[in-house]
Amino acid sequence: MADFTLGPGASEPLKAFVKAIEPYGIKGGEGSALRKTGFSKADTNGSGMASLAEVENFISFALQESTNDEEETEDLFKLFRKSYIVSFNLAKALGKSSGKVLKGAKTATADDYISFPEFRMFCVYCTMCAAMFDVFTMVDGGSVGVSEDDDSRISLDEFLGGWQSLGGLGFQALQGINSDEAATDLFHTVDTNDGGFILFKEWAEYIKKQEIKAKTHIGTLLSGNLKVTKIGSSKLSARSSSTPRGGKTSASERSTST
């Protein structure tokens, strides 16, 4: 069973993206086998860690496997690319390493990468953050996807013209807006730097905080408050699994649940 379910307002591109990525985030033997294959597409040097650029290789691979169409793969990859860094940062924050600078690096530590135990949640976060971006683009420019009218930021006029679509993506944080006045108040709340525009970073952070505040299942996952699992030594020994604290994982899942 997937950790995140799309709302009825999901666009067709989002459905195609989630269809490709979601199986890698499913618990159990089949999902675990997929994750091993998927992570190998990112961790090509076998270091046990993957950078943002490397996990993008996995996303491209998963999209191609699902669509079997190079043009559609490229379109979907580019469409949701702005959401990947949010997913990556959420996943790599699940645990902490010793902070030791990696061999051959100037300042990078293991905390600048994601490991295999974090990879399951990276895949889950990919679907969530893509959904956040999907509704963002619906409002930005006033249409699904990215068009010539989109500038990767939402003005108040755009927000007032598109707030009616916010409740259909499955986020509690975007429910209950019922007037232009309420939408205006929300706009100024999300626009934390008072720049007159909502950026996707602000959008994702607002949804995250509100889901956590509402104590939804999505909020629990976004909070990173997940059950710790120990895997071997080094960075892997302090990483988090995808089970909320108080939940249970099977013995076979403990080493691969993220």
Side-chain angles (χ1 to χ4, degrees):
M1 181 178 177
D3 281 286
F4 176 69
T5 302
L6 292 176
S11 69
E12 291 305 314
L14 176 60
K15 292 176 183 178
F17 182 87
V18 170
K19 179 183 177 182
I21 304 299
E22 184 179 81
Y24 294 88
I26 301 295
K27 291 182 181 180
E30 186 174 349
S32 179
L34 281 174
R35 282 190 291 282
K36 289 176 182 178
T37 298
F39 193 73
S40 71
K41 301 301 178 181
D43 181 27
T44 55
N45 62 0
S47 67
M49 294 180 289
S51 66
L52 174 59
E54 289 172 324
V55 295
E56 286 188 346
N57 291 335
F58 152 71
I59 293 172
S60 182
F61 163 79
L63 291 172
Q64 178 63 35
E65 287 289 290
S66 178
T67 66
N68 196 31
D69 185 305
E70 291 185 8
E71 184 175 352
E72 184 179 1
T73 290
E74 183 177 0
D75 288 345
L76 289 171
F77 180 86
K78 289 180 178 179
L79 175 58
F80 293 105
R81 193 172 190 178
K82 290 183 183 296
S83 70
Y84 304 159
I85 189 170
V86 179
S87 307
F88 181 81
N89 287 338
L90 285 167
K92 74 184 181 71
L94 287 173
K96 293 294 182 181
S97 70
S98 65
K100 183 179 179 180
V101 175
L102 297 173
K103 184 178 180 180
K106 292 183 178 180
T107 59
T109 71
D111 290 330
D112 295 312
Y113 299 83
I114 64 170
S115 61
F116 182 71
E118 294 166 315
F119 186 59
R120 190 186 92 81
M121 281 311 301
F122 169 73
C123 296
V124 174
Y125 290 145
C126 274
T127 62
M128 289 184 182
C129 294
M132 294 179 194
F133 189 71
D134 194 49
V135 71
F136 182 86
T137 60
M138 287 181 185
V139 179
D140 178 26
S143 62
V144 174
V146 177
S147 70
E148 61 183 15
D149 294 321
D150 296 341
D151 55 6
S152 298
R153 59 184 188 175
I154 298 173
S155 68
L156 178 57
D157 285 343
E158 287 175 323
F159 200 69
L160 291 176
W163 62 261
Q164 294 88 348
S165 65
L166 298 180
L169 267 292
F171 294 106
Q172 181 65 35
L174 302 177
Q175 304 296 320
I177 306 169
N178 54 17
S179 68
D180 283 354
E181 182 179 2
T184 299
D185 289 341
L186 177 59
F187 178 90
H188 291 301
T189 297
V190 180
D191 178 24
T192 55
N193 66 357
D194 294 323
F197 295 93
I198 295 175
L199 306 179
F200 179 64
K201 181 179 180 181
E202 294 174 317
W203 184 254
E205 186 63 22
Y206 171 78
I207 292 175
K208 173 186 173 181
K209 288 181 177 179
Q210 292 304 307
E211 294 292 333
I212 292 172
K213 183 178 179 180
K215 298 181 179 180
T216 64
H217 178 62
I218 292 173
T220 298
L221 297 177
L222 290 173
S223 75
N225 186 28
L226 306 175
K227 182 180 179 181
V228 174
T229 186
K230 293 187 176 182
I231 305 175
S233 56
S234 72
K235 180 187 181 185
L236 302 188
S237 64
R239 287 315 196 178
S240 300
S241 84
S242 59
T243 304
R245 294 188 187 281
K248 296 181 180 180
T249 54
S250 66
S252 63
E253 190 64 6
R254 288 186 190 119
S255 64
T256 58
S257 58
T258 53

